[in-house]
Amino acid sequence: MAGSGLPCLALALLILVSSSSTTVASSVRVGVVLDLTNDAGKKSLTCINMALDDFYAAHANATRRVDLRVRDSRGDVVTAAHAADDLIQNDRVQSIIGPLTSVEAEFIAYLGNHTLTPILSLSPVSSALTTSLMPFFLHTAPIDSYQTELIAAILDMFTWRTSILVYEDSPYGVGILPELLHILQDYNTRITNSVALPVDVTEDDLDTVIHNLKEQPTRVLIVHMLSDLAARVFKRAMLAGMMSDGYVWIATAGIGSDVDSLSPDRVDHMQGIITFRPYIQTTGRVLNFTTRFKKRFQLENPSIRVVHDPSVPLLWAYDTAWALAAAVNTNRVSSSVTSRTVLDSVLNITFDGLAGQFRLVNGQLQLSTYELVNIIGKGARTVGFWMPEYGIFKNLKDNNEKGLKQILWPGDLAIAPKGWDMSSNGRPLRIAIPSKHGFKQLVDVSYSPTSNTSTVTGYCIDIFSMLMKSLSFPVSYQYVPFGDSTTSYNSLLNLVYDKPRLQKVDAMVGDTTISTSRMNKVAFTMPFTDTGLSMIVVLKKETSGSMWIFLQPLTSTLWIVSLVFFFFTGFVVWVIEHRINPEFYGMPSQQFGIIFYFAFSTLVFSHKEKLESNLSRFVVIIWVFVVLILTSSYTASLTSMLTVQRLQPTVNSVQDLLRNGDYVGYQRGSTVGYWLEEMGFHRKNLLGYDTVEEYADALQKGSENGGVSAIFDEIPYLKIFLAKYCEGYTMVGPTYRLGGFGFAFPIGSPLVHDISQAIMIPSVQEEMVQIENKWFGDPGVCQSKRSSINSSRLGFSNFSGLFLISGVTSGLALFIYLAIFVYQEQDRLKAETPCTGSMSLKRLHAWLERHISTKHKGLPIAMVQELGSERNGQGINQFQVDGCEVLERNGGGANHSQVDG
């Protein structure tokens, strides 16, 4: 090859002398580092050679031709690095294509970056080798991090919240971990276990790993490795019975891209798995290449009898070689070919290749679509597609339908597995149950010496059993009581927390309070009880010797409203009656007294004023009805207060307890003691008790006699106390928010999510109420007794309807009367007050004067003199309103008055 330059030069000179227009192409040396000891390396080299042949056949006038310098890495990192160094130092190559494995690619990447030689990697290495760190290292195969979002989307679609990662212990396998763990956090999904397998793992070690995976409750396994190691893993998994019902296997693109080239026996070991690969559109060009590739590879390797269709990585190898040939023939390298000009040209080249559009962004090949396939029978069946911006959908048509087509899971199961099995080793779940001294309504463990068995009952047990039955799948479990654990709930939770090491219990069921410290060790379901902390105190008898007890039957609001309506009703009757009824005549002070006397005389139905207007009569009828009901209710309430003993709490607030330094009680061993100290109580003032009987005894003694003034506990315990001691005690004060009761499982247990969802179902909540009434009794019975403490006192809400009727009636009557008055008097007032013009306030004043000063038939002489001065004995009443003189003729006489000047 090296000696071919001189003949070519001579030939070129001869052609130039002969005035020929033909141009001789110069060569650009490009190195190729592949493992030629296996089929993948040989096939890649065939694809690279075919790409160059096809490019120059399509571009006959190309000025530069790629001169390949091939080296065999033999699958060894040191050999690959030595081969690359030899190509750079001795062959002076302008670029290197390869290798196929990540371990080799990383070594060569550093070498290329040091020598400023572009490396076009065919290996899907980690995104850690970025362009900013390795500007001369180009990813012409997609990096692994692209598929992490797809893995998370599949797990989320089937609500698999836990999974196990099995990966190849190599840079290729490890590279996916950081990105995958980060992505899964956004989907509320976690990796419960990860297993790294060496590429050369022995069969015995592989069987041990498979056995350990089978013991795990998680049934969703993510496999990230190349196809050779993956084939061994699936074979051992099938022999161990893990390719059967209930298992989910998700294989990454390292397997999916090679699935079409796998042998039938390997495909048989992968039945039911889901894998994916970059989507390649089956065009005529791809089909033509496939046919030619199989023929050429058969000719170059006659010992290989069966040649499968080229996999996706082989198409990337073809496109990479095409891109390099196109890059060295662009205008960017027209003057001279250097490593830098080749790098810049490849970064800017764009064309439609066999694997889709070839385009490097930041030195990385861009992919837009992945194809999801289900391995069934003899090959792979497409079940969907994925794009980062659209998610998972069934086809590539315009009306993209979300989801996947029907999948056959391992064991030919058509329904998606739930993804976990808590009883993976064949034994039922072991549920720890605390044994208690008191509050046995919540959890009670009874032992039978004759049968040597324990029986577990209680509110918490019934709730848990009901929730487990409501799940859409069966779960086998057994209760395991643990001695007298009143003060050792944290010890039981440690058994759940230490389960992988001790293998003691799988969960804890009981009256376990959710707290921050406990949540750091175990995972709780959502609370299944009322969440809160409150207090119970003793009720004391209240004496009725107060001199102001007559005011207590009505609340202050009702007293005020009643007085307002008394005044308002009297005012309405006066407005309607005073112009036509002599009994409402008189001096202003007398009329003011008539208003309130009339209204309050209705209280005892002693009003003697005869009403002339039907409007005022209607108002008084409604008001008397209101007064009748109000006085009857007042009498009954006052009688009840004077004859019935009333009960009031001895303590009304936490501040009273803190101010007086009283002793308070709580349940021994619970977290309530901690919260009481946080609220400001001194430890010396806190007394612990175990049973409701001890609660009652301590409350009756009181803080002065060795007892307590109040008992603090969580609401479920207080309900139990009040169910037994309904009378004489009450729950007072604010309710402080706490975590409530929850069921504890190991962190990452899928049961936490499923049980929490079940608690939210309306039908389940109704059943929970029935269970609560079964163990705690009907809360309405005792509540009605406690609410009777202040039931004899009447409030405004009790009579709001009556006051509404009375107010509407009085207001309507007043409106009708004023409308009639305005209509009858408007012409006379307009004639008598022409000088007021448009002055509305003055005219309104004239209207009021007219209403008050209207003539009154049958008035005594003395009263007439009080209402207006009589002048000259004439029958003319003369008024001056705001400087305008008005004459009112009365039987021929004239009286003169002056109003406002």
Side-chain angles (χ1 to χ4, degrees):
M1 297 291 293
S4 61
L6 186 59
C8 290
L9 181 59
L11 179 60
L13 292 174
L14 180 62
I15 294 175
L16 288 173
V17 171
S18 304
S19 300
S20 173
S21 60
T22 304
T23 303
V24 176
S26 60
S27 64
V28 178
R29 284 168 292 189
V30 174
V32 177
V33 179
L34 295 171
D35 180 8
L36 300 179
T37 61
N38 60 34
D39 291 349
K42 296 176 182 178
K43 290 179 179 179
S44 297
L45 183 58
T46 299
C47 289
I48 292 172
N49 285 321
M50 290 181 66
L52 297 178
D53 293 344
D54 293 345
F55 178 84
Y56 291 117
H59 303 81
N61 295 326
T63 58
R64 292 183 178 85
R65 288 185 172 269
V66 173
D67 179 15
L68 293 182
R69 307 297 175 93
V70 182
R71 297 290 188 273
D72 185 3
S73 69
R74 300 183 178 275
D76 181 70
V77 176
V78 177
T79 303
H82 178 74
D85 183 66
D86 179 60
L87 289 171
I88 295 171
Q89 299 298 331
N90 298 324
D91 286 272
R92 303 291 181 180
V93 296
Q94 272 75 43
S95 179
I96 294 178
I97 299 176
L100 296 178
T101 64
S102 345
V103 126
E104 297 175 22
E106 285 196 9
F107 273 87
I108 296 179
Y110 287 100
L111 182 62
N113 195 62
H114 179 70
T115 59
L116 307 182
T117 304
I119 308 296
L120 281 66
S121 173
L122 300 178
S123 171
V125 295
S126 168
S127 58
L129 298 176
T130 60
T131 307
S132 59
L133 296 177
M134 300 286 179
F136 282 82
F137 186 72
L138 306 180
H139 300 262
T140 57
I143 61 176
D144 296 334
S145 59
Y146 285 165
Q147 53 192 323
T148 56
E149 188 81 27
L150 173 53
I151 295 172
I154 294 175
L155 296 176
D156 185 65
M157 172 178 288
F158 294 99
T159 63
W160 294 321
R161 300 303 172 194
T162 58
S163 59
I164 295 175
L165 176 64
V166 184
Y167 61 96
E168 179 181 302
D169 191 9
S170 67
Y172 166 76
V174 175
I176 198 176
L177 276 176
E179 188 72 17
L180 181 60
L181 294 175
H182 174 72
I183 291 294
L184 290 182
Q185 288 180 352
D186 297 336
Y187 286 83
N188 192 26
T189 305
R190 59 193 299 269
I191 300 291
T192 59
N193 192 12
S194 59
V195 180
L197 295 178
V199 178
D200 56 351
V201 60
T202 64
E203 298 298 312
D204 290 340
D205 291 341
L206 189 54
D207 286 340
T208 301
V209 170
I210 294 295
H211 176 75
N212 292 334
L213 292 177
K214 190 176 181 179
E215 291 294 311
Q216 300 296 319
T218 301
R219 289 290 185 262
V220 179
L221 296 101
I222 302 170
V223 180
H224 177 61
M225 54 188 64
L226 297 177
S227 57
D228 288 339
L229 179 57
R232 298 176 57 199
V233 170
F234 286 119
K235 180 179 180 180
R236 307 313 298 181
M238 186 190 68
L239 295 176
M242 294 180 65
M243 302 299 295
S244 57
D245 295 358
Y247 283 92
V248 177
W249 293 87
I250 301 175
T252 59
I255 301 167
S257 299
D258 288 340
V259 68
D260 291 332
S261 60
L262 296 176
S263 60
D265 58 329
R266 289 186 170 184
V267 173
D268 287 341
H269 301 153
M270 300 181 181
Q271 295 296 301
I273 75 169
I274 293 293
T275 185
F276 36 85
R277 58 194 177 190
Y279 172 65
I280 305 298
Q281 188 175 3
T282 306
T283 61
R285 183 184 175 195
V286 172
L287 294 176
N288 175 267
F289 169 78
T290 300
T291 302
R292 293 188 297 114
F293 167 79
K294 295 170 75 171
K295 290 182 179 179
R296 180 164 178 169
F297 188 75
Q298 184 74 58
L299 291 174
E300 293 176 351
N301 302 274
S303 59
I304 301 177
R305 298 182 179 181
V306 179
V307 181
H308 298 283
D309 292 344
S311 61
V312 177
L314 295 181
L315 301 183
W316 291 332
Y318 180 96
D319 289 345
T320 299
W322 183 289
L324 193 57
V328 299
N329 282 281
T330 60
N331 294 330
R332 288 178 175 272
V333 293
S334 58
S335 58
S336 62
V337 179
T338 64
S339 296
R340 172 63 68 176
T341 58
V342 170
L343 174 67
D344 293 341
S345 185
V346 172
L347 288 174
N348 288 277
I349 203 76
T350 301
F351 63 93
D352 291 329
L354 292 180
Q357 187 182 56
F358 184 93
R359 182 170 63 98
L360 299 180
V361 176
N362 294 327
Q364 298 175 356
L365 180 66
Q366 299 301 295
L367 283 181
S368 59
T369 307
Y370 270 95
E371 178 185 12
L372 285 84
V373 296
N374 181 205
I375 298 182
I376 295 295
K378 298 181 179 179
R381 169 177 167 267
T382 301
V383 293
F385 300 88
W386 178 80
M387 291 184 180
E389 60 272 25
Y390 299 116
I392 297 176
F393 46 92
K394 293 184 178 180
N395 50 57
L396 289 175
K397 297 179 181 179
D398 294 335
N399 55 341
N400 293 336
E401 183 180 356
K402 292 289 185 180
L404 293 171
K405 298 177 183 177
Q406 180 62 59
I407 297 174
L408 285 181
W409 305 95
D412 292 333
L413 192 66
I415 301 176
K418 64 179 183 291
W420 58 271
D421 183 2
M422 295 296 292
S423 305
S424 58
N425 54 9
R427 66 168 177 83
L429 299 181
R430 291 171 55 84
I431 308 297
I433 304 295
S435 180
K436 300 172 64 68
H437 275 312
F439 299 97
K440 294 183 177 294
Q441 294 89 338
L442 294 172
V443 180
D444 184 23
V445 179
S446 57
Y447 176 73
S448 174
T450 56
S451 60
N452 194 27
T453 59
S454 297
T455 303
V456 180
T457 58
Y459 167 74
C460 298
I461 304 302
D462 285 357
I463 291 291
F464 181 77
S465 299
M466 181 269 296
L467 290 173
M468 297 301 284
K469 291 178 182 177
S470 68
L471 298 179
S472 59
F473 46 86
V475 178
S476 176
Y477 60 92
Q478 66 179 18
Y479 295 122
V480 182
F482 276 82
D484 178 16
S485 55
T486 302
T487 58
S488 60
Y489 274 42
N490 288 335
S491 299
L492 288 183
L493 291 174
N494 285 335
L495 296 180
V496 179
Y497 172 68
D498 293 335
K499 176 182 176 296
R501 178 172 59 87
L502 300 177
Q503 291 292 321
K504 286 291 183 69
V505 296
D506 302 285
M508 178 179 175
V509 170
D511 52 335
T512 311
T513 301
I514 301 173
S515 66
T516 304
S517 59
R518 291 174 174 177
M519 290 174 66
N520 292 330
K521 293 184 176 182
V522 297
F524 283 99
T525 63
M526 70 175 301
F528 60 89
T529 62
D530 294 333
T531 58
L533 172 69
S534 190
M535 69 175 177
I536 284 181
V537 298
V538 176
L539 291 172
K540 64 179 179 179
K541 296 178 181 179
E542 185 182 68
T543 60
S544 302
S546 172
M547 64 181 292
W548 301 106
I549 191 173
F550 70 91
L551 295 175
Q552 295 183 8
L554 306 183
T555 62
S556 58
T557 302
L558 183 55
W559 277 115
I560 295 173
V561 173
S562 299
L563 291 174
V564 170
F565 268 81
F566 272 112
F567 297 154
F568 177 66
T569 304
F571 172 75
V572 172
V573 172
W574 173 81
V575 170
I576 298 173
E577 291 287 330
H578 90 285
R579 299 184 71 248
I580 60 175
N581 193 336
E583 296 191 25
F584 288 84
Y585 297 161
M587 297 289 292
S589 59
Q590 291 176 318
Q591 296 185 47
F592 186 78
I594 290 173
I595 291 176
F596 299 110
Y597 171 76
F598 176 83
F600 282 96
S601 65
T602 60
L603 186 64
V604 290
F605 312 105
S606 62
H607 50 285
K608 298 179 180 180
E609 291 79 6
K610 183 180 179 180
L611 303 179
E612 299 291 342
S613 173
N614 287 332
L615 287 175
S616 58
R617 290 169 183 165
F618 180 62
V619 170
V620 172
I621 289 173
I622 299 299
W623 174 243
V624 168
F625 177 71
V626 174
V627 170
L628 175 63
I629 297 177
L630 188 62
T631 54
S632 300
S633 301
Y634 172 84
T635 303
S637 180
L638 181 60
T639 303
S640 175
M641 289 184 176
L642 293 173
T643 58
V644 179
Q645 289 183 340
R646 302 175 64 218
L647 300 176
Q648 292 293 338
T650 54
V651 178
N652 292 311
S653 67
V654 175
Q655 287 70 25
D656 292 341
L657 296 170
L658 292 172
R659 188 185 310 112
N660 299 330
D662 291 342
Y663 288 94
V664 296
Y666 68 100
Q667 186 178 170
R668 184 180 289 113
S670 69
T671 59
V672 175
Y674 165 78
W675 289 109
L676 291 176
E677 292 185 31
E678 289 293 313
M679 292 163 61
F681 289 97
H682 295 289
R683 181 180 292 273
K684 64 179 182 180
N685 290 350
L686 303 180
L687 302 179
Y689 302 99
D690 294 324
T691 65
V692 293
E693 292 79 12
E694 293 179 3
Y695 278 8
D697 181 64
L699 286 170
Q700 288 300 324
K701 289 181 179 179
S703 187
E704 300 82 4
N705 301 314
V708 295
S709 298
I711 291 288
F712 284 86
D713 213 334
E714 296 180 75
I715 290 179
Y717 299 108
L718 300 184
K719 285 183 177 180
I720 294 175
F721 178 86
L722 292 176
K724 183 172 183 179
Y725 298 95
C726 183
E727 299 182 4
Y729 305 91
T730 187
M731 189 186 306
V732 298
T735 298
Y736 300 93
R737 185 87 175 173
L738 291 185
F741 294 163
F743 302 124
F745 290 87
I747 293 178
S749 172
L751 271 177
V752 174
H753 178 266
D754 295 326
I755 293 178
S756 297
Q757 277 191 330
I759 293 176
M760 299 300 295
I761 301 174
S763 59
V764 172
Q765 291 183 356
E766 292 179 4
E767 203 167 343
M768 292 172 66
V769 172
Q770 296 175 6
I771 295 175
E772 182 175 344
N773 293 339
K774 167 188 172 183
W775 289 100
F776 303 152
D778 186 0
V781 176
C782 195
Q783 183 65 31
S784 63
K785 294 181 180 180
R786 290 194 299 272
S787 63
S788 65
I789 295 174
N790 294 320
S791 62
S792 60
R793 198 171 190 197
L794 304 174
F796 173 70
S797 60
N798 301 110
F799 302 96
S800 57
L802 287 174
F803 285 118
L804 177 63
I805 294 173
S806 178
V808 171
T809 301
S810 300
L812 182 62
L814 182 61
F815 175 77
I816 294 174
Y817 168 77
L818 293 176
I820 295 173
F821 171 74
V822 171
Y823 177 75
Q824 291 177 345
E825 302 293 333
Q826 60 180 346
D827 293 337
R828 182 179 302 174
L829 279 174
K830 286 181 180 179
E832 295 176 351
T833 59
C835 65
T836 57
S838 60
M839 301 173 66
S840 58
L841 292 178
K842 294 182 179 181
R843 179 164 293 183
L844 177 60
H845 193 274
W847 279 89
L848 294 176
E849 289 293 337
R850 179 68 181 173
H851 182 270
I852 296 173
S853 303
T854 303
K855 64 181 179 179
H856 304 286
K857 293 182 179 180
L859 275 177
I861 297 296
M863 189 171 294
V864 173
Q865 292 176 350
E866 290 178 353
L867 293 174
S869 61
E870 183 176 332
R871 186 178 62 175
N872 298 325
Q874 299 178 356
I876 299 176
N877 293 327
Q878 182 175 355
F879 299 91
Q880 186 171 357
V881 181
D882 293 334
C884 297
E885 196 172 79
V886 179
L887 295 179
E888 182 183 77
R889 299 190 177 273
N890 184 10
N895 291 329
H896 176 273
S897 298
Q898 182 173 328
V899 180
D900 290 341

